[in-house]
Amino acid sequence: MTLRDVSEASGVSEMTVSRVLRNKGDVSAATRAKVQEAAKLLGYVPNRIAGSLASSHVNLIAVIIPSLKNMVFPEVLSGISDALDDTELQPVFGVTGYRPEKEEKVLFEMLSWRPAGVIIAGLEHSHASRAMLAQAGVPVVEVMDTDGDPIDACVGISHRRAGREMAKAIIDAGYRRIGFLGTQMPLDHRARKRFEGFTRTMAKAGIEIEGQEFYAGGSALLKGREMTKMILDRHPNLDFLYYSNDMIGAGGLLYLMEQGIDVPGEIGMAGFNGVELLDGLPRKLATMDACRREIGEAAANIIKARIAGTSAGRERINMTPRLDLGQTLIRNGALNTGFKDT
């Protein structure tokens, strides 16, 4: 993508396009808006390291993630770093806060330095971000999710399947009065997909979710405690609580134990992510390992292979989430853990 492409799309000269994109010179507001809109739709990003040498790249891998406020994404970064350790490639990362407009800004700035590859969380992006990724001219690997249409390569798990598998384990253990506690999901697409898989599997078994509690912000023990109290105050007959992540699940477990409630005798519990930090809890929380470190390693290896010319591209690696029953799910008898993907 060059200045000429933007010039042709906007109907103004390359010199004017250059002035607008460098924010230099005297250009009318209408012309400026026309050029900026054309550049955005085309996915044009200026090259800050080599002027007109659009094929130049630096030995940096742009890694774009939504958050550093929980233990999920640092493990992905660790996997990426380990896989690149034997190369000259260095990962640099930006954080979007789950906001599409912030992702556009971070992606624009990173691509302007012409990285050798891009690793970005999720499959859902704005039109402008998708255009930039499609025009980047480098390997792009979308990570954490495989439920969708990737721009290039993708590595992750099916979150809908993860939700279905957890629902089946809960049903097989004999629970019927289910409460769900999680993030507000319009921008957390992976949590939304797990919830969809979970509720649909429950519905097929004739079970409705009796109570729900949602929160905004980072995952934390305190929020888990508060949410657990609120949902049980409204729905005291619940016999199982499914949390969208382990951190709020751990907070809920501590609250229930503090209240003298038998887990899983009176109430069963499960989270998601398989955070090792929580292994020291008084009772091991049932959870599902989302293969975070392995996802980071696989994504970095795809980019290494592309740069080395040993890959044909368009890789799609679908990893299998691992169910850990812990000590908070099995209540009576054996559990049938066979999962049928439907």
Side-chain angles (χ1 to χ4, degrees):
M1 188 61 59
T2 66
L3 287 177
R4 178 175 295 179
D5 297 309
V6 180
S7 171
E8 293 175 353
S10 60
V12 303
S13 69
E14 289 185 44
M15 182 65 72
T16 300
V17 170
S18 177
R19 287 172 179 165
V20 171
L21 297 179
R22 290 185 295 114
N23 200 26
K24 303 287 185 181
D26 185 15
V27 181
S28 71
T31 299
R32 186 177 298 277
K34 185 189 299 184
V35 171
Q36 289 172 338
E37 180 64 17
K40 183 175 181 178
L41 290 175
L42 291 172
Y44 175 82
V45 178
N47 186 341
R48 290 182 175 170
I49 64 167
S52 62
L53 300 177
S55 63
S56 298
H57 297 98
V58 295
N59 287 331
L60 298 176
I61 304 299
V63 182
I64 301 172
I65 57 176
S67 175
L68 285 173
K69 292 182 179 179
N70 57 48
M71 297 301 297
V72 175
F73 295 103
E75 290 195 33
V76 178
L77 296 177
S78 181
I80 294 170
S81 179
D82 288 348
L84 297 178
D85 195 46
D86 61 348
T87 74
E88 294 182 352
L89 300 168
Q90 293 294 326
V92 293
F93 69 90
V95 180
T96 69
Y98 290 96
R99 291 181 288 143
E101 68 278 8
K102 180 65 179 296
E103 182 178 84
E104 288 180 17
K105 181 178 180 181
V106 171
L107 185 58
F108 182 90
E109 292 297 328
M110 286 192 162
L111 288 178
S112 71
W113 292 101
R114 294 300 187 265
V118 177
I119 298 173
I120 186 167
L123 295 170
E124 286 77 20
H125 314 285
S126 69
H127 176 84
S129 290
R130 288 188 66 88
M132 284 188 282
L133 290 167
Q135 295 290 343
V138 297
V140 173
V141 185
E142 291 163 286
V143 297
M144 308 302 291
D145 191 4
T146 58
D147 291 322
D149 183 23
I151 294 167
D152 182 2
C154 75
V155 181
I157 66 168
S158 166
H159 285 265
R160 290 192 178 95
R161 173 172 180 163
R164 294 197 301 267
E165 187 168 351
M166 182 60 79
K168 186 177 185 300
I170 293 168
I171 293 168
D172 287 350
Y175 299 100
R176 295 296 181 268
R177 300 185 303 277
I178 315 298
F180 177 83
L181 304 91
T183 61
Q184 294 178 2
M185 295 179 285
L187 297 179
D188 189 346
H189 300 287
R190 291 172 293 284
R192 172 180 54 79
K193 292 172 185 177
R194 288 197 303 277
F195 185 67
E196 289 172 358
F198 183 81
T199 53
R200 288 174 184 173
T201 301
M202 286 289 175
K204 287 180 180 179
I207 301 172
E208 293 187 10
I209 306 301
E210 294 191 13
Q212 300 179 35
E213 193 70 41
F214 298 99
Y215 75 99
S219 306
L221 294 174
L222 179 59
K223 287 185 177 180
R225 295 172 68 98
E226 294 172 345
M227 294 167 69
T228 302
K229 181 180 186 305
M230 287 188 287
I231 198 170
L232 291 179
D233 283 347
R234 287 199 299 272
H235 306 278
N237 293 324
L238 293 177
D239 66 0
F240 198 92
L241 301 176
Y242 178 40
Y243 298 80
S244 67
N245 63 68
D246 286 347
M247 292 302 292
I248 57 172
L253 175 61
L254 293 174
Y255 172 78
L256 293 179
M257 297 185 74
E258 182 181 84
Q259 300 302 308
I261 296 173
D262 179 17
V263 178
E266 296 177 61
I267 298 180
M269 307 177 67
F272 180 82
N273 277 324
V275 176
E276 292 181 3
L277 179 67
L278 302 179
D279 286 349
L281 287 172
R283 198 153 296 170
K284 185 172 176 56
L285 184 68
T287 186
M288 188 167 285
D289 185 351
C291 313
R292 298 177 304 280
R293 178 180 288 273
E294 295 97 321
I295 287 171
E297 291 175 349
N301 285 330
I302 287 174
I303 291 180
K304 287 165 59 177
R306 292 276 194 93
I307 292 172
T310 59
S311 169
R314 301 291 295 178
E315 298 89 345
R316 189 184 186 106
I317 300 176
N318 197 343
M319 297 185 174
T320 302
R322 298 181 290 267
L323 177 63
D324 182 349
L325 300 176
Q327 299 170 313
T328 64
L329 197 151
I330 299 178
R331 183 171 56 183
N332 293 313
L335 178 71
N336 173 20
T337 58
F339 173 68
K340 296 180 181 179
D341 193 359
T342 58

